[in-house]
Amino acid sequence: MILQKLTVKNFRQFRGEHTLDFATSPEQNVTLILGYNTFGKSALLNAVNFALYGEVQPDFDEAEDLLNHAAATTRENQVEVRLRFEFQQREYEVTRKRIYNFLGNSRKTAIDEVSMAEIKRQSGSRVGVPHYQRLINRAIPPQMAPNFIFHGEKRVSLFASRGTHKQVSDAIRNILGCNVIEAAIKDLLLITKKLDRNIARESGDEQIKLFQNSIERFEQLIEENRRMIREKEEFIEASKIEITQLEQQLRDHDQTKQLQSELEHAKAKRQTAEVARLGAQKEIHRWIRESAALVCSAALSEAALDAIDEEEFRGRIPSDFQDSFIQGLLDAKVCICARSLEKGGEAWTAVEALLTQGGRKDVTDIALKVKATADRYSRSIAKARSEVGIYEDRVRSLDKEWNAANRDIEELNARLRGTNLEVLAEKARKRENLEEQMGTLQRQIGDLDRKIRVDLEPELQKVRGEYTRRIRSKPEMEKRRITLGLVEQLGAFLVEQMEVYESQAREKVLALTNQNLASMHRDKEAFFDGKFNLSLRDKVTKLQSGKSTGEAQLLVLAFTSALIHFCSVREADENEFLVPGTVAPLVLDAPFGQLDTLFQAGAISWIPRMARQVILFVSDSQARILQESPEIMDKVGACYALQIPHGEKMVLPYSIRGASVPSLNDRADSSTSIVRVW
Amino acid sequence: MPILTPSELKNLAKRVVDLEKESMYGDEESEDQRLSMIERLMIEESRRLNPQ
């Protein structure tokens, strides 16, 4: 199955109609949808689930209320989701509507309407598909869907809990398509009980009836005890998950402290940048004061020298010394040597030549002095210019530092908002209580289990033996007995078959999980412990890792990827007892929130390879991590951002691949909108 | 206990699983109907094994 287009109308945050076209090509198989928390990422993931199966996922908040609140206030009462997809080279569109009936102000009931059409590729005409659910269930069997459509961080919580055998076992059985075989085993057990009752009734033998009653009583008691064990185990499982989530929140508490310290660090950094920038600016001001005059002088001197150097002015620079003084001397009638200075005479001509020569020399000396000063200025100005260049660069770099620190501060403030330390202390107390309760429950389970094994089961076997012997003594019951034996034999065969399939599948999935882990450049490997809990350990030392959220995340990615691969390999499986596998899209919300930076790059680059089509819902901070990975960015065929109206929340714009997309829109109504980034 | 050969057992199991598949992925069908069909199949098979 390839998802092509999703349209939502009045679905949760989305008022009116909004459409997403998914990336469908094998070369660019990733669709990226950016959205801050509460902007509607989970709503869109659940819209896909709703379109396919008529229900949202069990962990979706306020699942019964799908209608957009703003739409409800205007008495619009219809939610609609349309999903267009390709399956086995044909195109289909399924449309689900939930129509609410308002009862007073708060209560409402709902009915669902569903239709599906095949869209003919050549003509575009639509042909109704009557058995739509059958077709969808073949495309992605519902029990397999949670491995394709899920919230990454929630799934990680399951795997980060202390025991994962139930999650692993359920996931493997579901992806293996064991549900028909399980249903058959359950039905054969019901038929066995019915046949037992019939034999007792038809035999007319009071002893057989008594045995039958005893068997039923023991079976009921065993079942009752098992039910109690299951309930307690489920409570323990739920407690483990809750404890994991609490521990995560408590770690977040530590992270809160860390965030606070990071915030203080960022503020100090911004302050330092600010002070340093002021210092650099002061230096520029000082330079203006001290060196600006120098620059002007140098410029003027250069201009003057250029003029002196010009050929046509040489020797013709106007000067009192040259013009008035020489003229005064020449106006004298007698030379100091007492010769007559008659104008045009020999002595006058000789004196004029000497004086002109002497005047020129003085002017030349002055010019040389000016030139030397100008050269000095030139050298100073070069130094001054380089000095101001350094200050300018410094101011620019400090501006960048300041902006980066400021961005960090805004982001850290956003993350710190909503942290309540008292609530966290309460969570710590709750965790202790849950752990205590779990201990009590484990002891109770042990008692119940012992009661079943030591008391009830041996008694049941004893009565069964008596019952069988008694029936065998009655030839008229032979036919019934043969049928009963047949049903029991068949049930035992199917149980054995399922165990074989499950064991083989477990081995294959483990091998694939390890292949995936190896591709993520880890020194870890996955393994099953004695109780089939899936964990990580060091490849060399074989020491089991602690259950950090980051490692659970890595394990989930590798394990889920293995399940998807295993499922696609089983697409053509013709095993008569199992539901065939499928090639389905991976629709993943919050895929790698807690990945350690050490292996983040390897794990992220793995995501496009997890399925034929990948639809990722990510926060802005996750998008920033993603854009560092060309392996994934080159695979993104479509990118969308979710926007909310102005004034609802102040958040930073999205930034991806250098493009900045506002996170707030200007629409007046209270609805998230979907913007295509590329 | 009737003795079915492995291939007979597998074949019978397949027929039961097919009924389950039909019920699960086919047209809607009640649980009672499905149980009756499986029970009938079992009775027929035991008659085949023990025709008297």
Side-chain angles (χ1 to χ4, degrees):
Chain A
M1 176 191 260
I2 299 286
L3 299 183
Q4 294 176 319
K5 185 191 286 247
L6 174 72
T7 303
V8 290
K9 186 179 172 189
N10 292 337
F11 189 89
R12 295 296 280 253
Q13 288 96 326
F14 300 91
R15 173 92 192 266
E17 199 169 286
H18 303 268
T19 298
L20 279 164
D21 286 298
F22 298 114
T24 56
S25 81
E27 294 77 27
Q28 288 193 305
N29 65 331
V30 178
T31 304
L32 204 58
I33 299 146
L34 305 172
Y36 288 91
N37 287 344
T38 74
F39 275 32
K41 299 193 297 291
S42 298
L44 288 176
L45 178 138
N46 275 281
V48 172
N49 209 78
F50 178 70
L52 293 172
Y53 304 109
E55 55 189 31
V56 292
Q57 295 192 327
D59 56 9
F60 189 44
D61 294 337
E62 297 177 44
E64 70 292 344
D65 193 7
L66 300 183
L67 183 63
N68 176 269
H69 289 177
T73 56
T74 59
R75 293 277 155 175
E76 285 174 74
N77 66 342
Q78 195 169 302
V79 171
E80 188 176 322
V81 178
R82 294 197 299 277
L83 184 67
R84 192 181 280 209
F85 62 89
E86 186 191 305
F87 177 56
Q88 295 180 336
Q89 279 81 51
R90 289 167 187 251
E91 272 182 38
Y92 300 94
E93 187 170 84
V94 59
T95 304
R96 298 231 186 221
K97 293 178 186 171
R98 183 158 287 180
I99 300 152
Y100 287 90
N101 183 23
F102 296 99
L103 304 166
N105 284 333
S106 55
R107 288 174 57 234
K108 48 186 185 272
T109 57
I111 52 162
D112 285 2
E113 282 181 6
V114 54
S115 63
M116 191 156 125
E118 183 187 345
I119 300 153
K120 298 287 178 189
R121 276 189 178 149
Q122 285 185 338
S123 62
S125 61
R126 290 167 171 260
V127 181
V129 179
H131 301 296
Y132 54 87
Q133 201 57 54
R134 188 175 183 170
L135 188 136
I136 291 170
N137 290 354
R138 229 172 42 197
I140 312 181
Q143 74 279 7
M144 296 183 191
N147 292 302
F148 290 101
I149 306 168
F150 61 92
H151 188 287
E153 284 177 15
K154 286 181 185 163
R155 194 174 167 101
V156 167
S157 292
L158 297 178
F159 278 78
S161 64
R162 288 162 211 191
T164 59
H165 63 280
K166 190 172 184 305
Q167 289 79 32
V168 169
S169 178
D170 287 352
I172 290 179
R173 278 189 187 189
N174 289 338
I175 214 81
L176 188 57
C178 276
N179 54 325
V180 277
I181 214 169
E182 283 174 320
I185 292 166
K186 200 172 147 202
D187 281 357
L188 290 170
L189 199 64
L190 287 172
I191 291 168
T192 307
K193 284 186 180 167
K194 189 183 169 191
L195 289 173
D196 267 338
R197 277 195 294 274
N198 288 349
I199 287 172
R201 199 179 59 241
E202 288 168 16
S203 69
D205 185 323
E206 285 307 311
Q207 194 62 44
I208 289 178
K209 279 184 192 169
L210 282 174
F211 284 139
Q212 167 60 23
N213 286 341
S214 292
I215 288 170
E216 282 206 355
R217 204 179 63 250
F218 278 119
E219 281 178 344
Q220 273 171 9
L221 277 172
I222 290 172
E223 184 47 42
E224 178 67 13
N225 280 287
R226 284 195 179 136
R227 189 185 56 74
M228 283 159 70
I229 290 177
R230 273 199 304 275
E231 277 177 9
K232 288 175 197 301
E233 280 177 343
E234 274 169 22
F235 190 85
I236 288 173
E237 284 297 320
S239 300
K240 280 178 186 169
I241 292 164
E242 199 176 342
I243 286 173
T244 310
Q245 284 166 347
L246 286 168
E247 280 174 348
Q248 180 55 44
Q249 286 158 353
L250 290 168
R251 262 198 297 279
D252 286 346
H253 181 194
D254 289 340
Q255 280 171 7
T256 305
K257 285 184 191 164
Q258 178 66 25
L259 284 177
Q260 186 59 37
S261 130
E262 281 177 31
L263 180 67
E264 281 160 19
H265 180 69
K267 279 184 176 171
K269 215 168 152 184
R270 186 177 64 177
Q271 179 71 13
T272 310
E274 206 165 311
V275 170
R277 188 175 57 174
L278 277 173
Q281 279 170 342
K282 275 184 187 164
E283 288 299 320
I284 292 177
H285 295 154
R286 182 190 58 75
W287 179 90
I288 291 169
R289 236 180 11 254
E290 293 175 4
S291 306
L294 199 68
V295 173
C296 294
S297 305
L300 286 170
S301 305
E302 276 167 13
L305 282 169
D306 287 349
I308 289 169
D309 280 345
E310 278 182 35
E311 192 68 36
E312 59 179 304
F313 290 119
R314 283 197 184 160
R316 294 176 58 196
I317 296 170
S319 139
D320 285 346
F321 182 80
Q322 194 178 19
D323 292 346
S324 312
F325 177 70
I326 294 173
Q327 198 53 53
L329 285 174
L330 291 175
D331 285 346
K333 301 287 180 201
V334 182
C335 178
I336 53 170
C337 63
R339 283 190 193 175
S340 165
L341 288 175
E342 197 174 329
K343 193 172 182 179
E346 186 186 343
W348 187 92
T349 306
V351 168
E352 188 202 25
L354 280 169
L355 286 175
T356 304
Q357 198 180 347
R360 277 189 184 161
K361 185 177 181 307
D362 283 347
V363 171
T364 304
D365 287 347
I366 290 166
L368 283 172
K369 262 188 197 168
V370 171
K371 197 168 169 32
T373 309
D375 283 347
R376 208 166 55 246
Y377 283 157
S378 285
R379 282 196 297 280
S380 304
I381 190 65
K383 191 179 160 202
R385 276 182 184 144
S386 120
E387 194 180 36
V388 79
I390 289 166
Y391 292 132
E392 279 169 352
D393 288 348
R394 178 109 181 99
V395 168
R396 268 194 294 274
S397 141
L398 287 164
D399 269 346
K400 272 188 192 167
E401 267 180 44
W402 190 92
N403 285 331
N406 200 46
R407 260 200 314 277
D408 287 348
I409 288 166
E410 282 178 22
E411 197 173 329
L412 288 162
N413 273 331
R415 286 166 70 188
L416 275 167
R417 250 176 251 135
T419 306
N420 186 330
L421 297 181
E422 276 181 31
V423 171
L424 287 168
E426 181 57 37
K427 286 179 196 295
R429 280 193 289 278
K430 196 174 174 187
R431 178 185 59 176
E432 283 170 28
N433 290 341
L434 280 171
E435 281 177 341
E436 206 177 304
Q437 278 177 33
M438 274 168 57
T440 311
L441 287 171
Q442 291 284 18
R443 283 192 293 280
Q444 289 172 352
I445 288 173
D447 292 344
L448 289 168
D449 191 51
R450 249 190 317 282
K451 190 177 171 189
I452 292 172
R453 283 187 293 107
V454 178
D455 302 334
L456 298 173
E457 280 183 345
E459 281 296 320
L460 177 64
Q461 288 307 317
K462 205 168 124 189
V463 180
R464 267 201 183 284
E466 294 291 331
Y467 169 77
T468 311
R469 269 195 293 283
R470 188 83 184 178
I471 288 179
R472 279 188 180 154
S473 69
K474 294 192 172 297
E476 68 274 19
M477 287 290 106
E478 184 64 7
K479 277 185 190 171
R480 291 284 188 199
R481 204 179 59 77
I482 289 172
T483 311
L484 183 63
L486 192 66
V487 175
E488 284 174 344
Q489 192 188 5
L490 197 59
F493 171 76
L494 285 175
V495 168
E496 197 183 317
Q497 278 300 119
M498 198 169 79
E499 282 171 0
V500 171
Y501 293 139
E502 207 181 338
S503 164
Q504 288 170 347
R506 204 175 267 151
E507 273 179 35
K508 282 181 190 160
V509 170
L510 181 63
L512 287 167
T513 304
N514 276 322
Q515 268 180 34
N516 297 344
L517 282 171
S519 299
M520 293 178 194
H521 308 294
R522 284 294 295 181
D523 51 1
K524 305 275 181 188
E525 64 179 7
F527 77 105
F528 284 117
D529 67 10
K531 290 181 179 172
F532 287 107
N533 289 307
L534 186 65
S535 302
L536 283 178
R537 68 181 173 196
D538 189 278
K539 266 183 188 167
V540 181
T541 63
K542 305 291 179 197
L543 285 175
Q544 188 175 343
S545 305
K547 283 265 178 181
S548 79
T549 317
E551 296 210 330
Q553 190 106 33
L554 183 74
L555 191 59
V556 165
L557 276 179
F559 177 67
T560 307
S561 179
L563 290 175
I564 291 170
H565 182 71
F566 180 61
C567 191
S568 67
V569 169
R570 286 193 55 254
E571 191 186 18
D573 193 348
E574 291 184 357
N575 186 309
E576 50 271 74
F577 299 125
L578 302 171
V579 178
T582 186
V583 175
L586 174 64
V587 185
L588 185 51
D589 188 6
F592 49 84
Q594 305 293 330
L595 271 179
D596 293 350
T597 45
L598 187 66
F599 46 82
Q600 211 163 45
I604 289 170
S605 65
W606 183 255
I607 291 174
R609 286 184 273 168
M610 284 178 73
R612 160 67 181 80
Q613 183 185 32
V614 179
I615 295 159
L616 283 182
F617 295 92
V618 295
S619 66
D620 181 58
S621 57
Q622 289 175 329
R624 282 191 208 173
I625 299 167
L626 277 184
Q627 66 183 351
E628 300 299 320
S629 166
E631 288 95 338
I632 193 162
M633 293 314 292
D634 290 348
K635 289 280 186 179
V636 177
C639 179
Y640 292 87
L642 304 181
Q643 289 184 333
I644 62 165
H646 248 310
E648 283 202 3
K649 212 171 192 178
M650 279 312 294
V651 284
L652 299 168
Y654 304 103
S655 59
I656 184 100
R657 263 194 182 169
S660 185
V661 186
S663 57
L664 303 163
N665 65 38
D666 292 324
R667 292 162 58 120
D669 59 18
S670 174
S671 165
T672 300
S673 51
I674 303 171
V675 182
R676 183 149 191 162
V677 183
W678 75 78
Chain B
M1 177 74 77
I3 307 296
L4 284 177
T5 64
S7 68
E8 282 175 331
L9 193 57
K10 196 173 174 186
N11 191 38
L12 186 60
K14 185 180 173 315
R15 289 167 72 188
V16 172
V17 167
D18 281 345
L19 285 172
E20 294 289 349
K21 276 186 190 169
E22 194 55 37
S23 163
M24 207 168 279
Y25 297 109
D27 298 334
E28 295 283 316
E29 198 175 72
S30 77
E31 190 182 326
D32 284 348
Q33 278 176 312
R34 188 181 68 242
L35 282 171
S36 301
M37 280 157 70
I38 297 172
E39 191 182 344
R40 224 172 18 248
L41 179 67
M42 292 295 124
I43 292 168
E44 280 166 15
E45 190 63 16
S46 61
R47 274 189 195 139
R48 189 187 67 75
L49 287 167
N50 186 13
Q52 295 153 357

